[in-house]
Amino acid sequence: MDKTLTSTPVSGTITVPASKSQTIRALLVATFAKGRSIIHNPLDSQDTRSCIEVCRAFGATIVPGVSTEGLPTLTIEAPVTFPTAITVDCGNSGTTLYLAAGMAATIGSAVTFTGDAQLKNRPVGELLQALSDLGVAVNYPSGNTRQGYPPFTISGPITGGSTRITCHTSQHLSALLLGCPLGTGTSRITVPLLNERPYVHMTRSWLDSQHIAYEASESMDTFSIIGNQQYSPFESAVNGDYSSASFFFCAAAVAGGCVTVSGLDPEDPQGDKEILSILQAMGCSVTWNERNAVTVCGPENGNLVGGQFDLNAIPDALPILAVTACFAHGTTVLGNVPQARIKETDRIAVMHENLASCGAEVEEREDALIIHGTGHLRGGTCDGYDDHRIIMAMAIASLQCEEPVTIKGIDAVGVTFPTFFSLLEQISEHHKESQL
């Protein structure tokens, strides 16, 4: 489905959905914990539904419900034993693919991973090599001539040993950190390159809450994890998602209004909260209140300013910050983010194409986008490329474009943020006027 949006001022308060990354970690830990776990306020999206189906394939019983406070819950009964041969379809969820592979490598069963056409282009070779180094058998089904990409089959257990892995995506290291405690021996991991470090902090927070014993160097370039450990059942709530919130933070910056986003924990290890500091550097005001809500206001004079920002820790912020930079004055460099090219799409190339088609002066580098902001953008037609973050970013661009913006193919927003367009309408001044 296509969607055409026109410019509008914005203001108001919204509550963003729960964190996708935290929900998927919670589901997988619960599936490999012996007993019953309860997750409060999980994200309901295509990606998390894919993860639920993967956990059910492992033998977990997962029942949705509602808490006494009216929030959604998931009750997970971990399997007593795992099936001997499993095929799991991760849909479009790269997070599920990587993290579930690390944990599936511990159960001694043959587990085949597959997914949709987009997921089959997500590189997994470095993770599979690391698992092989640690004792896991790795094979490819007949018909797959592309080693290093799904579909693939792994057969554990992780027996331990040493491996060296270059983590262009942090999810490869997170997969090992989640799986190795369930192995049979001590695993030693050397990490010469680690992108997206905050997501590893998130994974470590799960290990710490589960009282998993491991050692990590201060720079996170070496880890040692003893085996024969267990995960324990738990009950916890999932906080709001900073990645989803970032689009509404930037809506305030682009359109010059004030938007309050509730349901966020300022102490949460999610890396994308760094976007608040970037917006402050560009001229926005950021104010927290006592109810775990944050208000972002665009600069009073409407003059955003460009800057140079390292996005290595927060690659998912590239599309929306590229849009925001178009409405700033001066040059903005969004750099050190080569891993943005191996997400659902090549986001550097796709954002270059879409912004240029809407009148932006933008340059593409191997690991960066350079935007020469003029404070305005013409608008026009762009392609969503079945990438939820591209679609949402271009929707935010429409708030201040001189002409309507038509986005071709918007259905992929359901991957992480099914309510995005309804919330965008909720803060739209045009929507409010129509309700009068």
Side-chain angles (χ1 to χ4, degrees):
M1 183 171 70
D2 301 344
K3 193 172 184 69
T4 299
L5 300 163
T6 58
S7 63
T8 176
V10 297
S11 66
T13 299
I14 62 165
T15 301
V16 291
S19 165
K20 176 193 77 169
S21 298
Q22 292 282 33
T23 298
I24 288 175
R25 283 164 172 78
L27 283 164
L28 290 170
V29 171
T31 296
F32 283 77
K34 298 301 182 183
R36 175 182 295 177
S37 297
I38 301 175
I39 304 171
H40 294 270
N41 193 40
L43 174 67
D44 181 16
S45 72
Q46 291 174 17
D47 272 10
T48 55
R49 290 179 183 180
S50 292
C51 186
I52 287 171
E53 292 310 310
V54 167
C55 293
R56 285 175 171 156
F58 285 132
T61 300
I62 302 178
V63 180
V66 179
S67 70
T68 55
E69 293 81 16
L71 293 175
T73 64
L74 291 173
T75 299
I76 300 97
E77 292 280 359
V80 176
T81 59
F82 294 99
T84 56
I86 316 167
T87 296
V88 296
D89 187 338
C90 299
N92 187 252
S93 179
T95 305
T96 300
L97 172 73
Y98 297 131
L99 302 192
M103 302 187 82
T106 69
I107 65 177
S109 303
V111 185
T112 300
F113 284 84
T114 188
D116 67 10
Q118 205 173 50
L119 193 78
K120 289 178 180 177
N121 285 317
R122 300 289 285 267
V124 71
E126 290 169 334
L127 173 59
L128 296 181
Q129 182 59 57
L131 290 173
S132 178
D133 293 342
L134 298 175
V136 178
V138 177
N139 295 287
Y140 293 91
S142 60
N144 181 10
T145 58
R146 301 178 67 210
Q147 292 198 2
Y149 295 87
F152 58 87
T153 302
I154 55 176
S155 302
I158 291 174
T159 56
S162 298
T163 189
R164 180 182 179 90
I165 182 168
T166 301
C167 292
H168 298 288
T169 168
S170 65
Q171 291 172 343
H172 289 175
L173 179 56
S174 287
L176 296 175
L177 294 179
L178 289 169
C180 285
L182 305 179
T184 60
T186 298
S187 299
R188 291 170 293 276
I189 307 166
T190 301
V191 190
L193 172 70
L194 176 57
N195 292 330
E196 309 163 351
R197 288 172 174 264
Y199 289 97
V200 177
H201 290 303
M202 182 187 296
T203 300
R204 292 180 64 181
S205 73
W206 275 98
L207 299 182
D208 295 341
S209 71
Q210 285 282 318
H211 307 292
I212 296 297
Y214 68 97
E215 294 179 358
S217 64
E218 185 174 350
S219 60
M220 294 200 297
D221 60 355
T222 60
F223 291 83
S224 180
I225 309 157
I226 63 172
N228 293 311
Q229 301 187 69
Q230 292 185 340
Y231 290 119
S232 302
F234 62 89
E235 183 171 356
S236 68
V238 183
N239 292 320
D241 190 83
Y242 277 92
S243 296
S244 296
S246 67
F247 296 95
F248 291 92
F249 298 155
C250 291
V254 165
C258 290
V259 176
T260 298
V261 180
S262 63
L264 298 170
D265 181 355
E267 303 303 320
D268 194 293
Q270 296 178 54
D272 281 339
K273 65 184 175 183
E274 176 62 22
I275 199 169
L276 293 170
S277 297
I278 292 174
L279 291 178
Q280 283 181 305
M282 297 181 77
C284 297
S285 68
V286 175
T287 307
W288 282 94
N289 68 28
E290 69 279 3
R291 296 183 179 180
N292 281 8
V294 60
T295 300
V296 176
C297 295
E300 292 183 3
N301 57 10
N303 289 327
L304 285 171
V305 294
Q308 185 162 337
F309 305 108
D310 187 322
L311 300 191
N312 189 268
I314 53 169
D316 287 341
L318 174 79
I320 187 56
L321 284 177
V323 164
T324 305
C326 293
F327 297 97
H329 294 274
T331 297
T332 296
V333 179
L334 305 175
N336 192 26
V337 64
Q339 69 272 36
R341 291 191 181 274
I342 56 170
K343 298 293 183 178
E344 283 84 341
T345 57
D346 179 340
R347 288 177 175 162
I348 292 177
V350 167
M351 286 307 299
H352 176 271
E353 175 189 317
N354 278 342
L355 293 177
S357 72
C358 289
E361 185 179 345
V362 57
E363 300 177 50
E364 180 180 343
R365 298 288 185 267
E366 184 61 32
D367 67 345
L369 275 177
I370 302 172
I371 300 96
H372 302 286
T374 58
H376 61 87
L377 201 59
R378 184 187 66 242
T381 299
C382 59
D383 198 319
Y385 282 98
D386 290 324
D387 187 329
H388 53 130
R389 300 198 193 281
I390 301 297
I391 296 163
M392 292 187 286
M394 296 312 298
I396 298 302
S398 74
L399 297 176
Q400 195 70 359
C401 279
E402 298 163 357
E403 300 174 7
V405 173
T406 297
I407 307 170
K408 296 168 63 178
I410 65 165
D411 302 285
V413 293
V415 167
T416 55
F417 203 161
T419 59
F420 170 77
F421 281 106
S422 63
L423 290 179
L424 184 60
E425 186 176 73
Q426 184 177 315
I427 64 167
S428 164
E429 291 293 336
H430 289 173
H431 172 69
K432 293 174 183 178
E433 290 169 6
S434 71
Q435 301 302 306
L436 296 178

